Amino acid sequence: MGWLHVEKPAALLAEEFSGVVTRCAEEGLGERRPRGSGGYEWWTPELEKTRKLQCKLRRAWQSKRRLGGRSEEIARMAFHDIRARYRKMMVEAQQSQHIRVANTGNEDPWGLSYRLASGRVRPPANVINGIAFAGGHPDRLEAAMQNLMSTLCPDDSPDCDTAYHRQVRLLAAFVPSGGAAPPLTVGDLGGIVKALPNTAPGLDGVSARIVRNIWMAAPRELHLVYAKCVVEGVFPKVWKDGRLIVIPKGNDKPLTDAKAYRPITLLPVLGKLLERVMLRCAPAISRGISEYQHGFSPGRSTVTALRVLLSTAKYSRACYVQAIFLDISGAFDNAWWPMMMVKAKRGGCPPNIYKMLVDYFTSRRVGLFIGDRVEWKTSTMGCPQGSVLGPTLWNVLMDDLLRLPLPEGVAMTAYADDVTILIESQTRAGIESRARVTLDLVREWGLRNRLEFSSSKSTTMTVRGKLQRPPVIKLGGESIKNVTNTKVVVEVMVALTLALLQFAHKSPALKMDQVWAPGLQVGARVA
């Protein structure tokens, strides 16, 4: 076994194995040098000089804050003045750069404008200067990092539990009975290793390509480590730490808003391999997912979700069909771990895999790296975006929402965290009545699962028929905005397809099938 000691517990054995892999990779491949960004192309020596002056005045003000008095006030005003001037100079430098790029684009088509458009010129990553929080703009980088992580990675608060939530926590602590799942065979594990996608590595720098080469060189050792984790029901701590990458969502929110960014966790590939082993050892967890969940499900996609909506609008016998598009506030970041564990047991999770799941949610950390500084935070809730188990656990959490006893003429579908409710009725009053009952059930489900549906971000639209007045639909006492067109799931413009359908009804020379397929091809994109 070389440097491995097989008699050690699974957690220590995995840590030792990871150390061997990392050392071998460093000795054989060397340390990869990060690609230098070269800084911002609009950066000037004047900006650098002003930045240093701002840092100097900030330190002077911070040293006098404890003393107070007139000197502290003067230092504070001097810092605020130089900071305002510094921000103004950056805006002016960016505008000048944009004008220069626009003026020189025709002179040199393969120059700076081309490199900017093709993404070959990238600014430094993890820039959080200028992000505003509840208390305004932070004056220290550490404070900005802490506030950003607190916003994007919320904490579980047992103090807010109801009696029902306390029972859920208690149920999550009990390991289910039954026979333990056997470890995978060498052949099954090899199949998973060979199919590993080439995703970004974690903090250890071990990529999927390196893991595949490890399998070719030492399949017996690799299989022993993962088999021991399955038998002991352990998810090693060395594979839990992740690196937090913050990317803009691309929505209408300003980039100074912390919620305009999406947190992506880069996890070790060896840990994600163990997550795939867990799913293979316990297939019953995801086997019973509702057919109305079109996200993270084999054979289903945005296209199948759109077909449900359009087929209901096309073939319904009711005069009107109303669609309600619900938004879950911070869905993946607020997924409650105890509820996911309890629901995972319903599908028939073996006891050793359940122990691994409990260990998976224990002592997890994410680190935000900016320059030579790092801020660590312990995770207590949420599905890590970038993990392998996250999508499956989210579907498990959402499954009973799609199985609620809905009123007659009401159907519900989902694509990941995007929930769509379709209500068929002969009258506007019927739509409002069925919507009220349905949304009450949905809101109660959200309270039980500690998820909040946002009425301000949710929308509704009539997808069949034409009402003189749109129905009044409320969620938690607040009205949901009625729109004439909306994006369903991902880049799907329903209004265009519905207009074509209505035109096809009025034109006997045009067949419905001639409109049906083009509507999907124009608007839908498979995720």
Side-chain angles (χ1 to χ4, degrees), residues 73 196 330 394:
E73 183 179 355
L196 283 176
W394 176 259

Side-chain angles (χ1 to χ4, degrees), residues 201-234:
L203 292 173
D204 55 7
V206 178
S207 63
R209 183 179 178 183
I210 295 176
V211 175
R212 288 193 289 268
N213 281 275
I214 293 172
W215 176 257
M216 292 190 298
R220 180 169 171 265
E221 288 80 359
L222 187 64
H223 177 264
L224 176 65
V225 173
Y226 285 84
K228 198 159 189 176
C229 290
V230 172
V231 171
E232 297 183 10
V234 171

Side-chain angles (χ1 to χ4, degrees), residues 46-47 50 84-94:
E46 291 78 12
L47 279 172
T50 308
R85 188 173 66 175
Y86 175 56
R87 291 176 177 174
K88 182 179 179 181
M89 289 176 62
M90 284 195 295
V91 173
E92 293 175 350
Q94 292 178 40

Side-chain angles (χ1 to χ4, degrees), residues 407-408 410 423 425 427-440 471-473:
E408 183 182 358
V410 179
I423 302 176
S425 181
T427 62
R428 185 174 68 89
I431 292 176
E432 294 177 347
S433 175
R434 293 176 180 178
R436 182 169 54 253
V437 175
T438 302
L439 292 180
D440 286 344
V472 179
I473 298 177

Side-chain angles (χ1 to χ4, degrees), residues 344-385:
K345 288 194 288 187
R346 298 177 184 174
C349 185
N352 56 333
I353 304 300
Y354 186 78
K355 291 179 181 179
M356 294 181 68
L357 185 61
V358 174
D359 199 9
Y360 177 80
F361 286 130
T362 304
S363 302
R364 296 193 68 88
R365 298 192 309 168
V366 290
L368 179 63
F369 292 76
I370 297 182
D372 58 349
R373 304 189 186 185
V374 58
E375 186 70 29
W376 290 98
K377 185 180 186 301
T378 302
S379 300
T380 56
M381 65 188 306
C383 293
Q385 299 187 51

Side-chain angles (χ1 to χ4, degrees), residues 30-84:
E31 186 176 356
R32 181 179 180 181
R33 296 180 180 179
R35 181 188 300 176
S37 62
Y40 292 105
E41 295 212 3
W42 47 265
W43 196 260
T44 62
E46 291 78 12
L47 279 172
E48 181 65 22
K49 182 179 178 180
T50 308
R51 185 188 69 84
K52 292 181 179 179
L53 179 59
Q54 178 195 236
C55 295
K56 179 180 179 181
L57 294 179
R58 182 186 64 188
R59 290 191 295 268
W61 172 47
Q62 290 175 344
S63 64
K64 296 180 180 179
R65 291 178 66 177
R66 290 176 292 182
L67 301 177
R70 180 63 179 171
S71 61
E72 187 272 338
E73 183 179 355
I74 295 175
R76 179 180 60 83
M77 294 177 62
F79 167 68
H80 285 180
D81 290 342
I82 192 64
R83 185 176 66 175

